[in-house]
Amino acid sequence: MSDTPFPAGFLWGGALAANQSEGSYLADGKGLTTVDMIPHGANRMAVKLGLEKRFTLREEEFYPSHDAIDFYHRYKEDIALMAEMGFTVFRTSIAWSRLFPDGDELTPNADGIAFYHKVFTECRKYGIEPLVTLAHFDVPMHLVIEYGSWRNRKMIDFFARYARTCFEAFDGLVKYWLTFNEINILLHSPFSGAGLVFEPGENHEQVKYQAAHHELVASALVTKIAHEVNPQNQVGCMLAGGNFYPWSCKPEDVWAALQKDRENLFFIDVQARGAYPAYSARLFREKGVTLEITDEDAAILRHTVDFISFSYYASRCASAEMNEQNSSAANVVKSLTNPHIARSAWGWGIDPLGLRITMNMMYDRYQKPLFLVENGLGARDELTAAGEIHDDYRISYLQQHIEAMAEAIADGIPVMGYTTWGCIDLVAASTGEMSKRYGLVYVDRDDMGNGTLQRTRKKSFWWYKKVIASNGRDLSSE
Ligand code: BG6
C-alpha cells in the first residue's frame, strides 16, 4: 500500500446524466427534449450532428433515452448502491424539460421539482453531496422548434429562469453546480450538444460560435445568480478534456496541436478568465464569423466560475496534415490515432499519463481548483454462469487513471474530487448502445431495450469501495 496524496474530504463518487439514465421521457409532465429525438442505429449520426432535422418521433425507430435504465423509478436502489460503495459525491443532471416542459414557461412544473427533491434528499440521507449539471445534452424540443435553440439570444433568459428555479428549489440540498456539460462538444456534435440544426447553405461556424456565445453568457449569468441565491454555491464549467499531442516535433505539427487545443479550451478561457481570449479575433475572422456581443454581455462574462470540471477519457493527437480521412472521432473530438497508446474496444485511446499532462496544463492556465467529473472505460461485460462480472480491464483502467490523478495532486494541483463515468451502466451518448458499459454496477438491458433492468454488482464495485474507504491509498486489485 502506497501513501495517498488525496486530501481529507476529497470527494469520491460516480456520475450519471438524466438523459442517459432516467427514462420516463414523458412522465409527470416532462416535455420532449433533444436526446429523445436521437434514434439508435444508422440515422443516429446525422441527427446528432444537426444535419438531419428530426422534430417528430418515428414509429419504426428505437430511441434509447425513452426508457434508459429507469433511474426515474429506481433511484433509491441506485443511490443505496452508491452509498454502499462509500460515495461522498454523486454527479447527475437535471432534465430541463422536467421542470419547464416547453422551456419558455414562466412557472415550473411542480412534479419535476418534486422528483429531483426526492433524489437529492435521498443522497443527503447517506451523506452524499450531489454535484448537479444544469444542461447535460438536453434542450427542450419546443425551444429548438420555436427559437432555433442556442442560436437565439432569448435562450439566455429561458436558461437563467430555469437555473434560478433550480438554485432556489434545491437550496440547502445542492451546493456544487455545473452549467453546461462538455460545453466544447457544441462544436463537434451540434444537435446533441446544443440543439442546433443547420439550414442548407448556412455557415455552420457562424451558427455554432454565436450559439456558443449565448451559452457562455448564460453560463456566466447563472454563475452570478447561483452566488446571489446562496454565497455557498460553487459553480464549475465543464470541458470535454484531453490534450492534443503533436504527431511529431515538426514545428507545423506542434502548431497544429496548439490550434486544436485552443478550439476546445476557448470555452474555458472565457468561463475561467471572464473575457474572450486574444486569439479569438483572428479565429473568427478566418472562419467568416461575426459575433453579436453587447456591452452588457461583456460585463456578464466577467462572472467567472469557481472551479474547472472536466471529463477525461484519452489524450488526442494532431498534425499539420490532419484531415477527414486520416482522423477519427473518439469521444466525438477528431484525432489522429496515436501509435504509442493502447485502445479500448471502441477505439478510444487509453493514456493515463495524458490525464496528468492535461491536469497540469489546465492548472497552469487557470489556477482554479479542478474536478475530474468523468473518467472510465466503455467495455463489453460478460455475466458468468454464476451471475458475476469480472471486469479486471475496468479496474486496471481506473487504477491507472487514479494513480495519474494522484501524481497531479502531488504536482501541486488542488483537486476537489473524482466521479467515475456511468457508475451504473447507462446508454452511451455517442452510439446509443447499452453494450458499451462503464458501470461498477451492471444493468440487465441490451441495445434494443430488452432485459429486466436488474442491477448486479461487478468486481469493480468491491474494488472501488476499497479505494474510497482508503481515500485512494489502496488501489490494488486483490
Ligand atoms: C461524455 C459525455 O462525452 O462522454 C457523456 O459527457 C458520455 O454523456 C461519455 O456518455 C462517454 O461517451 P459514450 O459515447 O461512450 O457514452
Side-chain angles (χ1 to χ4, degrees), residues 209 244 252-266 279 282-283 286-287 318:
Y209 278 102
F244 271 95
E252 289 79 4
D253 286 351
V254 177
W255 178 245
L258 185 141
Q259 294 291 87
K260 295 302 282 180
D261 271 339
R262 278 180 169 174
E263 196 174 274
N264 293 306
L265 293 171
F266 157 79
Y279 60 80
R282 179 169 188 174
L283 178 92
E286 293 182 353
K287 288 182 182 292

Side-chain angles (χ1 to χ4, degrees), residues 245-255 257 317-321 336:
Y245 299 154
W247 180 255
S248 78
C249 53
K250 213 166 76 177
E252 289 79 4
D253 286 351
V254 177
W255 178 245
C317 188
S319 79
E321 281 82 40
L336 295 173

Side-chain angles (χ1 to χ4, degrees), residues 16-19 21-24 27-28 30 70-76 78-79 90 92-95 98-99 109-123 169-170 173:
L16 304 177
N19 78 85
S21 65
E22 288 175 4
S24 297
D28 301 324
K30 180 181 171 292
D70 195 29
F71 180 80
Y72 195 72
H73 295 107
R74 293 166 192 252
Y75 70 91
K76 283 194 180 171
D78 289 344
I79 293 170
F90 166 45
T92 189
S93 64
I94 293 176
R98 280 201 199 283
L99 270 59
N109 168 27
D111 286 347
I113 294 185
F115 170 65
Y116 291 105
H117 208 276
K118 286 187 288 186
V119 170
F120 302 144
T121 304
E122 194 68 14
C123 291
F170 308 123
L173 287 173

Side-chain angles (χ1 to χ4, degrees), residues 272-429:
R273 294 163 165 167
Y276 274 74
Y279 60 80
S280 60
R282 179 169 188 174
L283 178 92
F284 294 150
R285 207 166 50 243
E286 293 182 353
K287 288 182 182 292
V289 169
T290 313
L291 289 192
E292 186 202 307
I293 306 180
T294 66
D295 290 347
E296 199 196 349
D297 292 348
I300 292 171
L301 287 179
R302 281 187 216 116
H303 294 275
T304 57
V305 289
D306 302 306
F307 63 94
I308 315 280
S309 84
F310 65 106
S311 59
Y312 179 85
Y313 293 91
S315 56
R316 301 157 179 150
C317 188
S319 79
E321 281 82 40
M322 191 169 169
N323 56 40
E324 285 297 311
Q325 284 68 47
N326 62 15
S327 59
S328 63
N331 201 16
V332 191
V333 180
K334 291 250 167 89
S335 167
L336 295 173
T337 302
N338 182 344
H340 303 289
I341 61 175
R343 321 212 74 74
S344 78
W346 272 262
W348 291 26
I350 300 179
D351 178 15
L353 181 54
L355 172 60
R356 183 177 175 188
I357 295 169
T358 297
M359 292 177 78
N360 273 274
M361 174 281 298
M362 287 208 287
Y363 193 65
D364 285 354
R365 197 166 175 127
Y366 303 120
Q367 290 94 45
K368 291 199 187 240
L370 304 183
F371 204 141
L372 178 45
V373 298
E374 278 187 39
N375 172 241
L377 179 72
R380 239 174 268 285
D381 290 332
E382 267 179 45
L383 262 176
T384 65
E388 293 170 350
I389 297 109
H390 301 289
D391 55 342
D392 297 274
Y393 37 89
R394 182 168 296 107
I395 293 174
S396 156
Y397 178 99
L398 295 173
Q399 196 176 44
Q400 293 175 58
H401 286 78
I402 293 173
E403 267 166 14
M405 175 172 59
E407 291 293 346
I409 294 173
D411 291 335
I413 300 173
V415 183
M416 297 165 67
Y418 175 81
T419 56
T420 180
W421 176 248
C423 50
I424 296 178
D425 289 345
L426 40 53
V427 177

Side-chain angles (χ1 to χ4, degrees), residues 20 136-137 181-182 313 331 348 374 421 428-430 436 438:
Q20 290 163 264
H136 191 128
F137 297 166
N181 178 63
E182 295 191 333
Y313 293 91
N331 201 16
W348 291 26
E374 278 187 39
W421 176 248
S430 53
K436 189 181 186 193
Y438 287 86

